[in-house]
Amino acid sequence: MKKLILLFILTIASCLGVGTNVGLALPTSLGWWNEGDIGSTHQRWDFTPGYITAIPGDGYTADPESVFNPDEGFVVATISPGGGWDGSSNIISYWIYVSLEIPNYDTLNPYKEIWVDIGNTVVASSSIAVSAVGHGLKSGDYSYEILSGRGVAEFGVKIWPNPEVEKIGFMILGTSAPAVLDYIHVDTICTPEPATIALFGLGALSLIRRKKTINKINEIVKGA
């Protein structure tokens, strides 16, 4: 019975994306889960040559250098004019506007959490904008909340229902000196519907009952 309860708990935890990758030593994300957990995505931009492209008169586009995402080919960061790239690893300017486009799992889950870390640069919550597309969503079909991070350079977004693609824009400003953006680190996770969790749980119970039946048959065969 204890094994049954434990397996059921682990199954639910796996559906929720909670850190169940025992022994895999996956890194903890910016959120409460591990990178690579079910329903999660991970992207990191370091702005090194080969991953950033200048668009004359229109800023830069940057591809992530570390990514775990089902639609990784469409993950992009756009830096509007105003931010200048030093050709090595930093965006430097008195103001830098960044737009992140992050495709995700195309299942309509109840909500998604997104956590963003932009190094040592300060970002004001009032400068963060969120939009979403997918599943026929329009501007009034979703809601979001800006969550406070662990420092001035980190923030979170909770958006519901989970969109297929979300776009997050933010601005960082230099004051007495230019602002420096040296990396962007993003982790997201989708939460499954309760019905999905229940199905996984029932599946686990079914497997356990099947195993018990097979063991019972083996005992009968051995005793025959």
Side-chain angles (χ1 to χ4, degrees), residues 62-73:
D63 297 319
E65 295 163 59
S66 176
V67 61
F68 170 80
N69 191 294
D71 293 309
E72 61 188 56

Side-chain angles (χ1 to χ4, degrees), residues 74-133:
F74 299 98
V75 181
V76 68
T78 303
I79 298 94
S80 296
W85 180 48
D86 66 359
S88 175
S89 61
N90 296 320
I91 306 294
I92 304 172
S93 183
Y94 279 97
W95 67 272
I96 305 169
Y97 184 80
V98 181
S99 177
L100 302 175
E101 185 166 339
I102 309 173
N104 205 297
Y105 296 88
D106 57 5
T107 302
L108 188 60
N109 302 108
Y111 74 88
K112 179 192 298 179
E113 275 190 44
I114 307 155
W115 287 95
V116 182
D117 180 6
I118 56 173
N120 298 314
T121 314
V122 177
V123 59
S125 59
S126 59
S127 75
I128 301 168
V130 179
S131 63
V133 296

Side-chain angles (χ1 to χ4, degrees):
M1 185 63 182
K2 289 182 179 179
K3 291 181 178 179
L4 172 62
I5 294 172
L6 177 60
L7 181 57
F8 184 66
I9 291 173
L10 288 174
T11 302
I12 292 177
S14 175
C15 294
L16 288 172
V18 177
T20 54
N21 297 291
V22 179
L24 297 181
L26 290 173
T28 300
S29 71
L30 297 172
W32 42 264
W33 59 92
N34 287 323
E35 290 176 3
D37 277 350
I38 294 173
S40 69
T41 76
H42 157 78
Q43 303 88 25
R44 183 183 173 101
W45 287 262
D46 287 310
F47 307 119
T48 56
Y51 292 91
I52 186 165
T53 303
I55 304 174
D58 201 22
Y60 302 86
T61 59
D63 297 319
E65 295 163 59
S66 176
V67 61
F68 170 80
N69 191 294
D71 293 309
E72 61 188 56
F74 299 98
V75 181
V76 68
T78 303
I79 298 94
S80 296
W85 180 48
D86 66 359
S88 175
S89 61
N90 296 320
I91 306 294
I92 304 172
S93 183
Y94 279 97
W95 67 272
I96 305 169
Y97 184 80
V98 181
S99 177
L100 302 175
E101 185 166 339
I102 309 173
N104 205 297
Y105 296 88
D106 57 5
T107 302
L108 188 60
N109 302 108
Y111 74 88
K112 179 192 298 179
E113 275 190 44
I114 307 155
W115 287 95
V116 182
D117 180 6
I118 56 173
N120 298 314
T121 314
V122 177
V123 59
S125 59
S126 59
S127 75
I128 301 168
V130 179
S131 63
V133 296
H135 307 295
L137 291 177
K138 299 177 182 178
S139 60
D141 293 342
Y142 64 91
S143 300
Y144 71 88
E145 176 186 1
I146 303 297
L147 308 172
S148 297
R150 291 181 287 266
V152 294
E154 183 179 303
F155 64 89
V157 177
K158 182 175 180 180
I159 184 169
W160 62 91
N162 159 45
E164 187 175 348
V165 179
E166 66 271 3
K167 297 181 180 180
I168 302 173
F170 59 89
M171 179 180 287
I172 54 179
L173 297 171
T175 52
S176 58
V180 177
L181 178 62
D182 55 351
Y183 69 82
I184 301 173
H185 181 183
V186 181
D187 283 302
T188 80
I189 196 162
C190 300
T191 60
E193 295 176 278
T196 303
I197 297 174
L199 285 174
F200 272 92
L202 290 173
L205 289 173
S206 176
L207 288 173
I208 292 170
R209 287 172 181 163
R210 182 180 177 186
K211 184 176 180 181
K212 284 185 176 180
T213 302
I214 293 173
N215 289 341
K216 191 72 174 179
I217 294 172
N218 288 336
E219 288 177 5
I220 294 171
V221 171
K222 288 180 181 178

